[in-house]
Amino acid sequence: MRLIQLSDIGEGKFLNKSSRYISMKTFEELSCKEIIPGDILISRMAKPIARSCIIPDLKQKLITAVDIAYLRPNERLFDKHYLNYMFNSVFFRTQAEKLARGTTRLRITRKNLGKLPIPFPPISEQKRIVNKIERLLSKIDEVKQLIEEAKDSFELRRAAILDKAFRGGGIWKKWAR
């Protein structure tokens, strides 16, 4: 059984970095709870605290490490993508940090995590918010791509200028006699 760890939880996305497993015997002895695709995983420690992701279908049985909380939202009341975006917001994280404790590394208890306020608009409004967020994030991705393409173009132009300068077609032409 795959053990999902803190390193697997990115800011809004599942990173799939760990590769630890436990036996079914250990799973049963510890009375573990299985997590399923669509569950929201929330980090209870490690910066940034309270970051979350939605667990994808990894085609295997899954459990979480102790410093991860999971939420299986009632889909009639909550859009899981809305919750995931909200958990990864500055608003939510600021509230989580206020309730976190620890001298070397901050940690928030499950009890305190449950105390955090969650804005609860109707499901139709949650879906509208998710669509708006995803449209805006898509625009950011498009701009990032354009910036990368511009960087590549600048590097090619820079190389062409240097090539021309040093192959005798530029500044060295009059000195090459």
Side-chain angles (χ1 to χ4, degrees), residues 7-162:
S7 63
D8 293 315
I9 302 175
E11 294 186 58
K13 60 187 167 210
F14 183 73
L15 301 177
N16 204 18
K17 287 186 173 183
S18 72
S19 59
R20 299 202 60 198
Y21 292 82
I22 66 165
S23 69
M24 284 304 291
K25 181 181 178 195
T26 302
F27 173 78
E28 291 165 3
E29 286 173 355
L30 296 174
S31 300
C32 296
K33 300 283 187 227
E34 184 177 350
I35 58 172
I36 60 173
D39 284 351
I40 300 172
L41 306 180
I42 306 165
S43 69
R44 295 192 313 111
M45 68 178 291
K47 288 214 174 234
I49 198 165
R51 68 189 182 281
S52 74
C53 69
I54 298 171
I55 192 79
D57 188 356
L58 299 176
K59 309 287 187 218
Q60 58 190 314
K61 291 186 175 284
L62 307 168
I63 62 166
T64 65
V66 69
D67 288 315
I68 299 172
Y70 75 93
L71 176 65
R72 192 168 295 154
N74 178 335
E75 293 181 16
R76 291 188 314 267
L77 299 175
F78 286 105
D79 181 291
K80 64 185 169 193
H81 300 285
Y82 167 80
L83 290 172
N84 191 42
Y85 286 129
M86 197 272 309
F87 292 146
N88 285 289
S89 70
V90 172
F91 163 77
F92 189 80
R93 291 221 185 114
T94 300
Q95 301 303 313
E97 286 176 6
K98 287 178 185 174
L99 295 178
R101 299 290 176 257
T103 52
T104 56
R105 291 176 69 175
L106 287 179
R107 174 181 277 127
I108 187 167
T109 64
R110 281 184 170 81
K111 182 179 179 182
N112 281 341
L113 198 55
K115 291 178 181 177
L116 295 172
I118 297 175
F120 184 41
I123 189 78
S124 59
E125 181 66 8
Q126 292 175 43
K127 290 180 184 298
R128 190 192 70 72
I129 291 167
V130 166
N131 287 334
K132 179 73 172 182
I133 290 169
E134 290 178 349
R135 278 196 314 274
L136 293 171
L137 291 177
S138 176
K139 288 182 186 216
I140 289 172
D141 290 340
E142 287 174 25
V143 169
K144 280 183 184 176
Q145 181 62 35
L146 290 172
I147 290 169
E148 286 305 312
E149 289 170 9
K151 283 182 185 176
D152 292 344
S153 175
F154 292 142
E155 288 304 315
L156 287 173
R157 289 180 185 174
R158 182 179 189 276
I161 289 168
L162 292 174

